[in-house]
Amino acid sequence: MISVFAEATFGSLRRTDQRRWAEVYLRGLLGTAGKKTVRRLAAAVSDRETAFQSLHQFVNASPWDWEPVRRELTRWAEEHTAPRAWVLDDVVLRKRGDHSCGVHRRFSPADGRSVNGQVGTGLFLAGDHGALPVDWALYLPECWTADPARRRRVRIPDGIGHRPAEEQALGLVDALAAHTRLPAVPVVADASSRPGAEAFVRGLARRGHDFVVAVPGHLPLARAATALPGPVRADQGPAVYRAFTTRGRAGRAADRTWITNMPHARTDELLALTRTLGLAREAVRYMESDLGLGDFEGRSFPGWHHHMTLVSAAYAYSRQAATADLPHHLAALPAAA
C-alpha cells in the first residue's frame, strides 16, 4: 500500500531513481526509531556508504521540484479529509549555529523566550478527524536575503527575497486557492504574536476569504472591525466584522481575541473553527516526535523544502494507515536497496 501512495505522491519526479529514493526516505521516516537523520534513514535500507550518499544527494542537492508533490498531497488530502478550514500556523525548528538557511534568533511564544532556529509557516487542511499539512514557507530575514555569499552558500533561488511573515502566509493561501479542486473554506490562523496581524487580516479580506484569525490584544479592534476592507456584494454592501474572545484553560493556554468576517455564523460554528488550530498543532507535535520534522541536518533552502515535503507525505500516509487500521510494521518495511 505504501508503494501505491508513494507512486501517486512522487509521480511528478522525472527520474526513476528520484522516485525510488523518495519512497526510501518516506519509509525511513515512518519506520526508523529515534532521530531521523539521513544517515539513520539510509542505514534502514543498507549499511553501504553509497546508500547514505545517494539519499543525502536526493534530499539536499537533487534539483527536484517540491511544488508538484505538494499539489498532489493537496489533492490527496482533499479526497481523504472533508476540509472545513485552511489553517495557517508557524513552526519554530531549533538549530545550533547560524549556518542553516534562514536561521535566526526570535521570541517563541510557546517557549516564552528567544530561541535560535528556522521559522516555517505551514498550511493545513483541517477536517473532523485532524489536519493534514499541504504546503510550507520558510521565513528568510533580510540578513539572509541581502547577503550574496549567504544566498549562494545555501542556494536561495534568485527570485526569492525577504517577505514579511503576513505576506508569506497570504502567499500560501493564494497558492492553495489557485490549485484547490474544492470550494474555498474559512482561513484560520493565529496572528496574535505577529506585528503584521492587521495587514494579514486586511489581505484576507481583500481576497474575499472568510476567516477566523487570532489577533494581538492591543490591536485596535474597534477600528479594525469597522475599517477593514471587505468584499462588496451587490445585495449586501460592505462586509461587517465581529470580534470575540476564547478563554484558555488554566495553566495550559492563554485567552485569545479573534476577529472574523462571518458575523452571522453561529457561535458554536466559530468556536469549532478556532479549534482547528489545535488540530494543526497536534499534527506538528506528531511530526516532531515521530517523523523527524526537526531532525533535518542539511543547510540549503531546497533541502529544507524537500525534507518538509517528505515529512508531510509521511504524516499523510500515517494518518491513512491509522484510519485503515493497518499494522504499523507494514508501513515500515524498507524498500530494496
Side-chain angles (χ1 to χ4, degrees):
M1 189 172 182
I2 191 171
S3 295
V4 175
F5 175 83
E7 182 179 356
T9 304
F10 305 117
S12 63
L13 303 187
R14 291 179 298 173
R15 301 203 315 256
T16 301
D17 64 311
Q18 290 176 330
R19 296 192 294 273
R20 185 171 73 87
W21 286 113
E23 183 175 340
V24 168
Y25 201 94
L26 178 66
R27 289 175 179 270
L29 292 173
L30 290 162
T32 303
K35 196 172 180 67
K36 308 293 195 295
T37 64
V38 174
R39 187 170 293 278
R40 286 176 61 85
L41 300 185
V45 177
S46 171
D47 58 1
R48 299 174 63 181
E49 183 67 16
T50 53
F52 163 70
Q53 293 171 350
S54 296
L55 195 59
H56 184 273
Q57 165 75 15
F58 167 72
V59 178
N60 286 284
S62 183
W64 56 274
D65 189 351
W66 55 85
E67 291 183 357
V69 178
R70 293 180 185 176
R71 287 198 291 271
E72 181 58 32
L73 277 176
T74 300
R75 185 201 64 76
W76 188 93
E78 290 177 336
E79 288 184 357
H80 290 78
T81 301
R84 53 189 174 91
W86 295 351
V87 182
L88 289 157
D89 199 26
D90 293 338
V91 178
V92 178
L93 305 173
R94 297 185 187 183
K95 296 291 179 183
R96 294 181 180 179
D98 59 358
H99 297 294
S100 295
C101 183
V103 72
H104 63 289
R105 290 197 68 81
R106 65 174 287 153
F107 180 77
S108 169
D111 296 285
R113 60 186 177 86
S114 292
V115 298
N116 194 64
Q118 299 166 309
V119 179
T121 301
L123 179 54
F124 301 75
L125 300 189
D128 292 334
H129 302 293
L132 295 173
V134 297
D135 205 359
W136 294 92
L138 175 63
Y139 178 74
L140 297 174
E142 289 185 90
C143 62
W144 279 92
T145 59
D147 186 330
R150 269 186 154 185
R151 293 183 66 99
R152 286 193 300 272
R153 188 168 67 246
V154 298
R155 306 200 331 267
I156 298 174
D158 290 341
I160 302 295
H162 169 74
R163 299 177 74 188
E166 63 274 12
E167 290 186 13
Q168 190 163 265
L170 290 169
L172 290 174
V173 173
D174 291 342
L176 180 54
H179 294 107
T180 183
R181 302 181 183 184
L182 300 178
V185 291
V187 175
V188 178
D190 183 359
S192 59
S193 61
R194 289 181 179 172
E198 188 171 349
F200 174 64
V201 173
R202 287 178 181 274
L204 291 175
R206 280 195 296 269
R207 288 162 170 78
H209 289 292
D210 289 342
F211 59 81
V212 179
V213 176
V215 295
H218 58 75
L219 186 74
L221 291 176
R223 184 186 74 198
T226 56
L228 283 172
V232 177
R233 300 173 184 172
D235 59 339
Q236 297 180 18
V240 179
Y241 295 85
R242 171 183 174 186
F244 63 98
T245 300
T246 55
R247 300 296 181 188
R249 296 181 181 178
R252 295 186 60 185
D255 295 350
R256 283 199 181 99
T257 300
W258 303 79
I259 190 167
T260 179
N261 61 345
M262 297 184 289
H264 302 299
R266 298 196 313 268
T267 299
D268 62 326
E269 293 175 339
L270 294 176
L271 292 177
L273 285 170
T274 68
R275 287 192 287 270
T276 61
L277 182 63
L279 297 178
R281 290 180 175 176
E282 286 178 10
V284 168
R285 285 192 291 270
Y286 184 85
M287 288 188 286
E288 289 176 330
S289 64
D290 285 56
L291 299 176
L293 185 71
D295 292 346
F296 180 60
E297 295 176 321
R299 296 174 175 177
S300 72
F301 180 88
W304 186 89
H305 277 282
H306 290 162
H307 175 73
M308 299 300 279
T309 303
L310 290 157
V311 172
S312 298
Y315 183 76
Y317 182 81
S318 72
R319 295 305 88 197
Q320 180 189 36
T323 302
D325 197 26
L326 293 176
H328 184 70
H329 71 276
L330 292 181
L333 288 173

